[in-house]
Amino acid sequence: MATRSETRHQSLDDLDHLAAKCPRCSLCKFPPLVAVRSHARSSICPSYDEYKYHSHSGSGRVIIANALHDGRIDVTEGTRDVIFQCTMCGGCDMSCKFSTDIEISEIMFALRAESHERCGPLPAHAQVLDNLRGHGHPFDATGGSKDDWLAEITGVRTGLSKRVLLVGSSYALLPDRRRTLLNLVRLLQVAGVEFTVLGADEPDTGTMALHIGDRDLFDTLARDFVGIFNTAGVEEIVCADPEDFATLRAHFGKVGDLHATVRHAVEVLDEAVAAGSLTLRHRVSHRATYHDPCSLGRRSEEYQAWDGETKKIMGQLIVTDPPRPVNRGTHGVYEPPRRLLQAVPGLELVEMPRRREYAYCCGGSGGVPQAYPEFASHTAHERLDEAGDVGAEIVVSACPGCERNLDGATDGRGVEVLGIYDVLAEAAFGNRG
Amino acid sequence: MGSVLGVSGESTLTEEEAAALRDEVVAELALVVGDRWVTAEPAILDGYAWQYLAEAATGERWMARPLAVVLPGCTEDVAEIVRHCNHKGIQFKAVSTGFGAWGAAAQPDSMVQIDLRRMDRILEIDAKNMYAVVEPYVTGNQLQTEAFSVGLNTHIAGVGGQTSVLASATSMMGQGWDGVSMSFSCRNLLGAEWVTPEGEIVRIGSFESAGRWFAGDGPGPSIRGVFRGFAGALGGLGVFTKAAVKLYPWEGPEALEVGGASPYYETEIPEHHLSALCIVDDWKGMAELGYRLGDAGIALAVSRNAPSVMGAVLTADNNEFADIYEVPFVHELYYTLVVIIQADDAEEFAYKVDVLKTILRELDGGMIANLPAHEYTYWLGRFIRTLSRRVKAKGLLKSAPGTLGLFRTFGKRYGYRKLTSSMSALLYEAVVRSGLNMRGVFRFGGTFWTAMGSLASWDNAIKGARVGAQIKKRYIDEGKFFDDGADNAWGGLYENGAYSHLEELACYDPTDDDSGANVIGYIFETNLASAEHFLSLPLNACGPQASTFFSPLCGGYQNWQLAIKNTYDPNNASEGSSYVIPDYKPGRGLRKLAGNVMSDRAEIDLTQDDL
Ligand SMILES: Cc1cc2nc3c(=O)[nH]c(=O)nc-3n(C[C@H](O)[C@H](O)[C@H](O)COP(=O)(O)OP(=O)(O)OC[C@H]3O[C@@H](n4cnc5c(N)ncnc54)[C@H](O)[C@@H]3O)c2cc1C
Ligand code: SF4
Ligand code: SF4
């Protein structure tokens, strides 16, 4: 019998009892087998597809955690590469937990933290952390200010209020995502949704610090964030960027108690369409497929703290008391974006073989584009190939990271990558802005 | 903890020598496959050393770390790697998926692990002649998915659809849920491309005039028999780079529809398919049911699963399992078989279902199946009546609150009207897609191993299961294994009942310090009992450790293996620690354990129904 507390970040030691359960069955390399629809699209792990050694699967990283725990290996440069050559997409975690309660994603977060503590960040990530520390967002300071976009649209209130639209650093600062952000704001305005934005004062959620393994920095940013929003009595945070959404929902609970309800913008728009306050009247005559961002889907399930015991009954049956809640990717945001796209006149929505909780990652997260751009690009190509399989003319997503990474891989395929806000804007206003 | 079996020796090299050899091997193999596909990075090598069941071999969770791991891209790469190892005097061993200690190294710094993961193509599905040619890293699930689309199906070993078709067909046994209609992996092998232990590339099997694979055995002595025999060489006799395997008719849609979400996906049972959990009164009834199903030739799959395994498959976690397993109606579901029927059209379907009903009527049994409502209720009634004869009035009373709770939980999950059809659907996807296996065995305590499992007549297989359960009971009573009521016999029929198998699973926590010794004791005792009770060769009789004790009792099979090994692998380059080791002598640990088991064993009593 052992008492355990899952109310904060977990260390490799905390997670050892789960990591030790991995029998190396390899199910984490595939979508749940009952959902495999073709040989060509039967993998769920971009890292294993790219690097092909077992170490680069979810199980491989669990084994690295075991090897570190057992003192068999150090965090060398080679180890660190294996740890970070992973998009943190959570596909492995989802597939494994179809049958088990092994928390691969938590183990991988702990591995990254351990690696960071023992030998610091990868060179490509060091700059990102410096940026975060220096000017509160992960991008270069020369890229402008987080309120620059406000000059391009009117009628947006700034400051803290009951409902805040959290724009996120990517939408606010990346010029190639600007149009999509403006479309979202236009849609919310026309739907009559009351909200404010924080402009230059918008704090970063620390997502990159979390993924890079700098828990101290993440904790500082998260606590600051919680302080600002709680003090102001914010009741609802609407996230434009699902990476923020996932971090707020799945990780902030380890650090503080954010009072506001956290939602993603597609949920708000979905409600608006259902309520009739947003009308999609213009035709968008395309065959489209929807790419589930991992951060809006399986990675966004709400953090569930747990304090309890693991014990054995019936000889060797391991149970938890009280029952330990397990997130399996089931309760991500899957329906709202699909409902929205289905409501667009003329748009034919087709599904890729890998979808919803077992969608294949685009390659654009986990610090991969910064440190291993080729891997990010190959993964995007694989996802676009899959979209090609179902004859999609446009690939729609709801995440600036996915859109960017996929967009960079379209080269001559005749497929267009769009943000969902762009498609909805075209349906609502007759143009994409 | 020391090594239990004595397979994991110390490295024979100093650290400096090992490091130098590693660097040399990596540099030389990089010339064959390129820098990217060979490495000696410890974090990567450990991915191959952490292995299922290592605790039984080494007393730890780790097998030995290989010198290097190499990922060849084609047969020629493999042949060059093999020749290189022969030349250098080091060993090699291939893995396809790499699930199990038998694929890993036994001795540190002694062998190159060949991971065949880059060779992952389905080279051909010949729908007319009903076979497929695959490379090593094609999984059962992948081949099945593609075969469905052309009206065919493939046998999947019980290990699960995520493992290699080729590995089972060429190098291990291949028992599975669907053996009644799709045989046994080793029997489905029509041909193979083999890189011999010395690096020659050989194609085996007989070919028709156009050069297509046609039959597993050519004229003269069977080369298939030589390189794989009954149990396979478990990597100890070269590397297989292609396999041609027989495919079977699939009378279902091109793709199965899946609804729901994890962990409760629901595969839609296609038209003219039946998923039935059939029940009879006792082992005698089970024997009769199996034989009659085999004779009738109506089933796509016939699978026996213990109540604990079914409970695990139907639930999301151990807590939920513990709740439902308490209900007598659940943990008394001993005498059941899952029967899957497929048919091309309504007429054939009606015929096959009628045959099943007749058999069950004659045996006074029942079933829960996806039948039309009125028939469903009638057969459910019979199912409950049969079970009630076993649990009796007291059990019924005890079951009432639990059954109600169960009804509520599952009703909420699936919707009350869909409740029982959901159960049929789950069993269907577990058996047809082989996708829920891990739940059934790994979740309870963390891991499991298995025993008995001879290929035998069905009633002999049942006898084996009963013997195994009695041996296991003692371990359960001492708290060493999960208490699954002792009976956890899994298996089924092959080739319409021409032969069959039941193995006795034992689930435990591999992090318990003495779990390795426990499991070896269990293996040893069950092996011994297999010989004493004339149950034929158990599945744990492979490998030099077991063979030393059991080969003399079973026709001296190890002598043949040794002769083959010495002929085809004169340099002993193909690591054979799970096959046969020239000059092997059991270590002190193993001899002591064997002595202990011999002197203190469970008494077997088969005179009464033991469950
Ligand atoms: C949990 C579990 C349950 C199991 N249940 C069953 C079962 O129900 N029925 C059954 O039949 N078996 C069962 N097995 C054994 C199983 O068949 C094999 O482990 C299976 O083939 C695993 O496939 P794999 O792709 O992981 O093989 P691997 O682990 O890659 O290989 C299995 C063995 O074959 C050798 N090998 C693999 N590929 C090649 C190759 N290309 N050339 C030469 N040698 C090779 C390896 O060295 C190893 O010794 C089980 C194993 C496990 C771990
Ligand atoms: S991590 Fe999970 S799915 Fe992957 S090998 Fe381990 S137990 Fe299996
Ligand atoms: S998180 Fe994604 S990329 Fe990383 S190991 Fe898991 S499935 Fe692979």
Side-chain angles (χ1 to χ4, degrees), chain B residues 305-365:
Chain B
N305 303 280
S308 58
V309 167
M310 280 191 294
V313 163
L314 297 175
T315 53
D317 58 44
N318 284 351
N319 285 67
E320 193 178 278
F321 165 80
D323 287 346
I324 77 156
Y325 194 61
E326 263 181 13
V327 181
F329 252 22
V330 176
H331 73 239
E332 293 290 339
L333 285 172
Y334 287 117
Y335 305 109
T336 63
L337 288 177
V338 179
V339 178
I340 308 289
I341 285 175
Q342 65 169 359
D344 243 344
D345 54 31
E347 208 179 332
E348 183 190 339
F349 184 63
Y351 164 77
K352 286 181 169 174
V353 174
D354 270 352
V355 172
L356 176 64
K357 287 178 186 165
T358 306
I359 295 172
L360 285 172
R361 246 187 237 109
E362 286 173 9
L363 297 174
D364 209 5

Side-chain angles (χ1 to χ4, degrees), chain A residues 18-19 21-29 54 57-63 92-93 95-97 99-100 102 104 107, chain B residues 50 99 162 438 442:
Chain A
L18 294 175
K21 284 188 191 176
C22 168
R24 203 187 189 281
C25 69
S26 285
L27 281 166
C28 48
K29 296 169 184 167
H54 184 82
S57 63
S59 161
R61 295 185 172 92
V62 170
I63 294 170
C92 51
D93 183 85
S95 282
C96 179
K97 286 195 287 199
S99 302
T100 78
I102 301 174
I104 309 185
I107 291 167
Chain B
W50 176 270
F99 188 11
Q162 80 280 19
M438 292 303 114
F442 281 105

